[in-house]
Amino acid sequence: MTSSNDLSALAADAYVYGYPLVFDLSMVGAFMTKGFGGLPPAPFNEFAHGDQLADPSTHFVSVNNDTVYTVAQVDLSGGPVRLRTPDTAGAYYVLQFVDAWSNNFAYVGKRATGTEAGEWLIVPPGWTGTPPAGARGVIEAPTSVVSVVGRNVCDGPDDMTRVRNLQKGFTLDPLHPGSPGVAGLPAPDPGVPEELLFFERLRVWMAEFPPAGPDQDHQERFRPLGLLEEGPSPYVNAAPALVRALTAGLAEGKARVEAATKEPADAERPSGSWEMNPHLFDYNLDHFGIGTIDSPQWRIADREASYLVRATAARTGLWGNHGYEAVYAYTFTDADGEQLNGARSYTLRFEEPPPVESFWSVTMYDTPDYYLVDNPAGRYSLGDRTPGLVYGEDGSLTVVIQRERPDDPAEAANWLPAPAGDFRPVIRLYTPGRSALDGTYRLPPIVARG
């Protein structure tokens, strides 16, 4: 017989294991009804396109100011779907394919497949048909519902006309017109009390979107919680002891995930170092489709350890890319270990540019919301695509970070406006070079002036 303490511990494990599935599909549902991050809502198998670069009115955590989003939620329950992509004439773009468990399982775009126009076939699990002539490849989805998260590089408001024209070339169509309609997301039992809804969603969605075989073996241990029961929900009139165990486990699981999002201080790391984890999305261990890299370097060796990493990634950066597509670094402090604040002026000096095959940028965010910062210059990020930057004779670049526009014209050209209070900048490296991934190249610290 399983004790209440054992059930609570098991429920905490189930939360960590299932949080990415529940959060991912909750966001899928929200996207189709409300949209988010400046994107309008769209039904299954239709792209929603951003119509401008993000600005301070885009209230989305750490939204990027480099690319414009093109996103679709794809339901393959009615059969395969054709994806068409336009010729971007060498311009960076990526379509990232994410299954219901938040695994990145395929990429189409400049790094992965080039920038010429193409047609691709997205197929449901177990599909054995023949792709149409002319298809460049088959994208095998691990679950019948997947997210396609697209990013098109945009070099500022004047570049939006080009981006909008490209967006028209991203289309989704059923392989067989007239095929049955999509099943969508199964709904949880409306009779389940609010405090048990997480586990009800997990039960229903886990059955509808089963994970890879080894994960199915792992989730068998959650049977005593009712998570593998079919038919009517076991949580409508659950026994008080089970309710207590589930609610306690939910709280413990949440605490475990939140703690994992906060990296412990590293005594050997110099003050002002940038935090960067190129392996945050390495928890996909089973599905390596077009554009992915199937190698031990990009897989977490311990499957059970990968569940907490997966939950942490979903909590802090749902639908983020593998490190070989893009990496992000952030800092809260200057070279002296002091909190960055708009009351002071700073410099960020790149002796050499960050190693990238595509492009890099540094973007300013306030705290604690991590929103873009409103400023008179209308500049929210700065990088190697920013026109008019002034470089040193040795090729170095010194970014000036402060609240007010610098008086010196050269400094004003390299100015990244800061808010009045605390802030946290983020550096993004698109298609990072090897030295950025292995730590050979280190981002320079931000230095306070005066």
Side-chain angles (χ1 to χ4, degrees), residues 33 45 73 88 109 142 198 205 209 226 232 259 327 331 339 346 359 391 410:
T33 57
N45 301 342
Q73 310 303 336
T88 68
F198 172 87
W205 291 341
F209 307 106
V327 292
T331 185
Q339 169 67 51
Y346 305 88
F359 61 95
Y391 291 81

Side-chain angles (χ1 to χ4, degrees), residues 26-73:
S26 296
M27 293 301 289
V28 168
F31 180 87
M32 292 189 298
T33 57
K34 301 176 183 178
F36 55 73
L39 287 167
F44 275 122
N45 301 342
E46 279 190 26
F47 277 111
H49 304 294
D51 62 359
Q52 63 180 33
L53 277 171
D55 62 24
S57 68
T58 309
H59 287 176
F60 193 76
V61 174
S62 299
V63 66
N64 86 57
N65 186 241
D66 303 309
T67 65
V68 179
Y69 285 99
T70 287
V71 176
Q73 310 303 336

Side-chain angles (χ1 to χ4, degrees), residues 389-405:
L389 293 180
V390 177
Y391 291 81
E393 292 183 1
D394 59 356
S396 64
L397 174 67
T398 301
V399 179
V400 177
I401 303 173
Q402 60 186 47
R403 184 181 180 189
E404 303 296 334
R405 181 190 296 272

Side-chain angles (χ1 to χ4, degrees), residues 271-274 333-336 347-349 442-447:
S271 296
S273 295
W274 295 78
T333 60
D334 64 19
D336 297 320
T347 59
L348 172 61
R349 180 180 173 84
R442 291 188 176 273
L443 294 166
I446 295 174
V447 177

Side-chain angles (χ1 to χ4, degrees), residues 144-378:
S144 60
V145 165
V146 298
S147 301
V148 181
V149 185
R151 301 168 176 88
N152 282 289
V153 67
C154 182
D155 293 340
D158 293 341
D159 194 30
M160 271 307 304
T161 298
R162 179 192 65 84
V163 173
R164 290 192 185 104
N165 287 331
L166 284 177
Q167 288 174 335
K168 298 174 185 176
F170 292 96
T171 63
L172 293 165
D173 299 290
L175 177 61
H176 305 295
S179 56
V182 299
L185 301 179
D189 190 314
V192 173
E194 178 67 29
E195 64 267 25
L196 300 183
L197 264 181
F198 172 87
F199 292 102
E200 171 65 359
R201 292 189 177 104
L202 179 56
R203 181 187 74 91
V204 172
W205 291 341
M206 199 162 63
E208 185 72 13
F209 307 106
D215 288 348
Q216 291 185 46
D217 294 340
H218 176 83
Q219 68 189 30
E220 273 293 323
R221 56 197 293 267
F222 303 135
R223 190 173 291 279
L225 301 173
L227 284 171
L228 275 68
E229 287 193 23
E230 300 178 2
S233 173
Y235 308 125
V236 173
N237 295 301
L242 179 59
V243 173
R244 288 192 296 270
L246 290 173
T247 53
L250 183 74
E252 170 58 28
K254 284 183 177 179
R256 196 182 301 173
V257 173
E258 289 301 317
T261 66
K262 301 173 176 62
E263 293 187 11
D266 185 347
E268 298 182 0
R269 179 181 291 144
S271 296
S273 295
W274 295 78
E275 301 276 357
M276 183 170 68
N277 182 4
H279 297 289
L280 182 60
F281 297 92
D282 290 2
Y283 48 80
N284 172 21
L285 307 177
D286 304 289
H287 306 289
F288 295 91
I290 292 170
T292 60
I293 297 178
D294 182 4
S295 86
Q297 177 189 359
W298 298 104
R299 283 198 303 267
I300 295 173
D302 186 333
R303 182 175 291 271
E304 290 201 23
S306 75
Y307 300 140
L308 181 57
V309 176
R310 184 175 67 181
T312 303
R315 175 68 181 87
T316 60
L318 184 69
W319 302 344
N321 292 290
H322 275 101
Y324 47 76
E325 184 68 43
V327 292
Y328 316 123
Y330 65 89
T331 185
F332 290 92
T333 60
D334 64 19
D336 297 320
E338 298 295 323
Q339 169 67 51
L340 297 168
N341 187 280
R344 305 189 70 179
S345 175
Y346 305 88
T347 59
L348 172 61
R349 180 180 173 84
F350 294 95
E351 298 293 343
E352 56 180 316
V356 292
E357 294 180 16
S358 294
F359 61 95
W360 67 268
S361 69
V362 54
T363 307
M364 176 61 66
Y365 300 98
D366 65 11
T367 66
D369 296 321
Y370 307 138
Y371 291 161
L372 296 175
V373 174
D374 196 11
N375 63 84

Side-chain angles (χ1 to χ4, degrees), residues 93 107-116 120 136 290-291:
Y93 87 97
Y107 293 91
V108 168
K110 183 174 182 178
R111 176 197 62 82
T113 58
T115 62
E116 64 272 19
W120 312 84
R136 288 187 57 191
I290 292 170

